[in-house]
Amino acid sequence: MEAGARGMHWKLLILSCLLADGMSQDFGQTQFICTSVPKDMDICAATLQNSVPGEDLKSTVMQLRETVLQQKETIMNQKETIRELTSKLTRCESQSASEPGDARVGGRRKETGTKNTMGDVSRGPTDTLTQLSRTLQLLKQRLENLEQFSRNNNSVQANSLKDLLQTKIDDLEKQVLSRVNGLEEGKPGLRNESEQRGRVESTLTSLHQRITDLEKGQKENRPLDKFQLTFPLRTNYMYAKVKKSLPEMYAFTVCMWLKSNASPGVGTPFSYAVPGQANELVLIEWGNNPMEMLINDKVAKLPFLINDGKWHHICITWTTRDGMWEAYQDGVMRGNGDSLAPYHPIKPQGVLILGQEQDTLGGGFDATQAFVGDMANFNIWDRKLSVGEIYNLATCSSKAQVGSVFSWLETSIDIYGGASKWTFEACRQLN
């Protein structure tokens, strides 16, 4: 115990010296002298005794002081490293919509990379800029068509609006160029890429709408059903929304014209989500999987082959009794089956989206599942059409009917994010 006590006195002595040494900076040339004081000895008397060799004490203090300084320097370096790592993490998060992992589509799992609003799988900000440039180029081509129309018709109002839109496009191109320069110079501005991308996408939507309004001058005499929707890029913001919901249905037929050469998979021509079930009714071809019909998250594989860059007419019929379904391509039945969500009626009060797959009601879009291509004459009936009725639709017969639940009209949908409408008349413009 006595030896332990002596050790404790020595530790107190050394600590006192360290504190005294640190405090000496406030007293100019003043010097503090530390002396070991036995527990029962008078302090004044102790100062007259040389209890500890001075050189040994000084050496011990210097070693401890050096250790403290080294630890302080190590802590400062670690703080700087943490700061740099935090900065890099912030930039990575702003460039990615999600971390790599698994996602579930229609009750089955799929592997995904980091999501990207402008492409299948994120390849970094440069890819995003490339896709933005392509979008701007498409809008410029539409403006050139409008300019030609204006020259032919001497429309002062059209010319004025065209000039305004051209200015908007120029501003967007400057934003893209600025972001390119930021990449080349390694600027930290990429941390805010998600916010910047949101502003650009909002501007593109507004620009697209104004171009659409201007294009209406060319198609005042066009029937409301003689149009096609074009989705030129695989994004998570380009889509069309049907203005009204579907009713409760115990049977249905859905038909449309599609044209796409996207690979792998044409994406999601349409999806219908209801509260509590995002996959109430979905048509999707994702990755290397065949096209599938999902009803209440149950899946049927469809024998369609349509990604050859040509127009194809497809129809799917379904009845809740025994979950019977049939699939038609170009007027010919290619397959059928049963047990697809039997005795489950299609629920009402949902959201019908063209061009995107919904993970949440009206949203949660994933660029890897987006439809790329052209679509026309999308119609839905609340009954099973006959073979003859489907053939009339595929051959553009005068006897062809329009959908009883949803019929293809320009006034029935709103478009977003750069999807566009063009004049289209089935069977006269095919392939």
Side-chain angles (χ1 to χ4, degrees):
M1 289 294 291
E2 183 176 352
R6 282 200 300 269
M8 181 61 70
H9 285 309
W10 274 101
K11 291 179 181 178
L12 290 173
L13 169 64
I14 292 171
L15 179 61
S16 300
C17 292
L18 283 173
L19 292 174
D21 183 66
M23 294 173 62
S24 66
Q25 298 176 12
D26 299 329
F27 294 88
Q29 298 297 322
T30 302
Q31 182 175 10
F32 288 86
I33 300 174
C34 301
T35 305
S36 174
V37 180
K39 183 176 182 181
D40 298 327
M41 181 177 289
D42 181 72
I43 296 177
C44 294
T47 58
L48 301 175
Q49 298 181 10
N50 187 15
S51 303
V52 179
E55 290 300 324
D56 291 344
L57 176 61
K58 183 177 180 181
S59 175
T60 303
V61 170
M62 292 302 294
Q63 290 177 2
L64 289 173
R65 183 179 181 185
E66 183 67 24
T67 301
V68 171
L69 291 176
Q70 289 176 355
Q71 291 178 343
K72 181 178 179 181
E73 183 179 358
T74 300
I75 292 173
M76 294 300 295
N77 291 336
Q78 290 174 343
K79 286 183 178 180
E80 183 63 27
T81 301
I82 292 172
R83 190 179 297 110
E84 291 178 359
L85 289 174
T86 303
S87 175
K88 292 179 180 179
L89 179 60
T90 302
R91 287 199 296 271
C92 290
E93 289 176 343
S94 69
Q95 295 170 18
S96 302
S98 69
E99 291 297 324
D102 290 336
R104 182 171 295 275
V105 179
R108 63 208 188 283
R109 302 193 69 82
K110 68 184 183 74
E111 297 177 357
T112 62
T114 53
K115 293 183 183 177
N116 180 356
T117 63
M118 302 298 295
D120 287 352
V121 178
S122 174
R123 302 178 184 87
T126 304
D127 254 15
T128 300
L129 298 176
T130 301
Q131 297 285 7
L132 270 177
S133 299
R134 290 175 59 189
T135 301
L136 292 175
Q137 186 60 37
L138 288 169
L139 291 175
K140 290 178 73 174
Q141 290 175 359
R142 293 174 66 187
L143 276 180
E144 290 172 2
N145 293 335
L146 293 172
E147 185 177 16
Q148 182 64 38
F149 173 80
S150 300
R151 283 198 296 265
N152 295 339
N153 292 273
N154 296 319
S155 172
V156 176
Q157 182 179 7
N159 280 326
S160 175
L161 187 52
K162 176 190 69 64
D163 293 339
L164 178 61
L165 293 174
Q166 184 62 60
T167 301
K168 287 277 189 180
I169 286 182
D170 291 342
D171 290 342
L172 283 171
E173 288 182 320
K174 289 178 181 178
Q175 292 184 42
V176 173
L177 180 61
S178 175
R179 295 174 69 186
V180 170
N181 291 336
L183 284 173
E184 292 175 347
E185 298 173 11
K187 293 181 179 179
L190 291 176
R191 297 182 186 178
N192 301 320
E193 181 172 337
S194 295
E195 181 180 344
Q196 294 175 14
R197 184 179 62 227
R199 289 197 297 267
V200 172
E201 291 172 2
S202 176
T203 304
L204 284 173
T205 298
S206 175
L207 178 60
H208 154 75
Q209 189 59 52
R210 301 192 70 174
I211 292 178
T212 299
D213 292 339
L214 182 56
E215 288 171 338
K216 288 180 180 178
Q218 303 179 51
K219 41 194 175 186
E220 291 178 352
N221 298 322
R222 184 179 77 194
L224 292 177
D225 63 334
K226 306 301 183 186
F227 75 100
Q228 70 181 54
L229 283 181
T230 297
F231 303 90
L233 302 173
R234 202 182 289 276
T235 75
N236 70 350
Y237 61 83
M238 192 178 294
Y239 65 100
K241 181 179 180 180
V242 174
K243 293 182 178 180
K244 68 175 185 178
S245 178
L246 299 180
E248 185 175 51
M249 296 188 296
Y250 292 84
F252 69 76
T253 300
V254 57
C255 298
M256 70 201 79
W257 286 95
L258 293 178
K259 179 182 179 181
S260 177
N261 60 0
S263 180
V266 302
T268 308
F270 77 91
S271 65
Y272 177 67
V274 297
Q277 179 52 272
N279 293 329
E280 182 68 7
L281 179 58
V282 182
L283 182 65
I284 183 172
E285 184 182 76
W286 180 84
N288 294 315
N289 300 305
M291 185 166 284
E292 298 173 339
M293 172 66 73
L294 279 65
I295 298 179
N296 191 34
D297 236 0
K298 306 302 186 294
V299 183
K301 297 184 183 300
L302 306 179
F304 292 147
L305 296 174
I306 61 172
N307 63 336
D308 56 2
K310 298 180 180 180
W311 282 103
H312 293 282
H313 186 265
I314 64 171
C315 283
I316 303 102
T317 70
W318 173 86
T319 60
T320 185
R321 183 175 181 178
D322 295 326
M324 302 287 293
W325 60 270
E326 296 175 347
Y328 295 78
Q329 179 174 325
D330 300 325
V332 178
M333 188 170 70
R334 298 297 178 88
N336 56 40
D338 56 18
S339 301
L340 176 58
Y343 305 103
H344 170 83
I346 303 300
K347 296 179 180 179
Q349 307 303 318
V351 176
L352 180 56
I353 297 291
L354 306 180
Q356 295 284 352
E357 194 271 340
Q358 303 172 68
D359 286 336
T360 59
L361 187 64
F365 304 147
D366 182 343
T368 65
Q369 300 168 24
F371 174 71
V372 179
D374 303 313
M375 176 188 305
N377 294 81
F378 179 86
N379 287 275
I380 301 177
W381 294 259
D382 56 357
R383 64 182 180 88
K384 177 183 176 182
L385 294 188
S386 67
V387 175
E389 289 173 319
I390 292 174
Y391 183 79
N392 288 338
L393 289 166
T395 56
C396 305
S397 169
S398 59
K399 299 179 181 180
Q401 304 179 36
V402 297
S404 59
V405 170
F406 174 77
S407 58
W408 186 248
L409 297 173
E410 287 193 64
T411 55
S412 299
I413 60 175
D414 293 320
I415 59 178
Y416 300 91
S420 57
K421 297 177 184 176
W422 300 93
T423 299
F424 174 81
E425 191 166 355
C427 298
R428 292 189 179 180
Q429 295 178 233
L430 296 185
N431 309 324

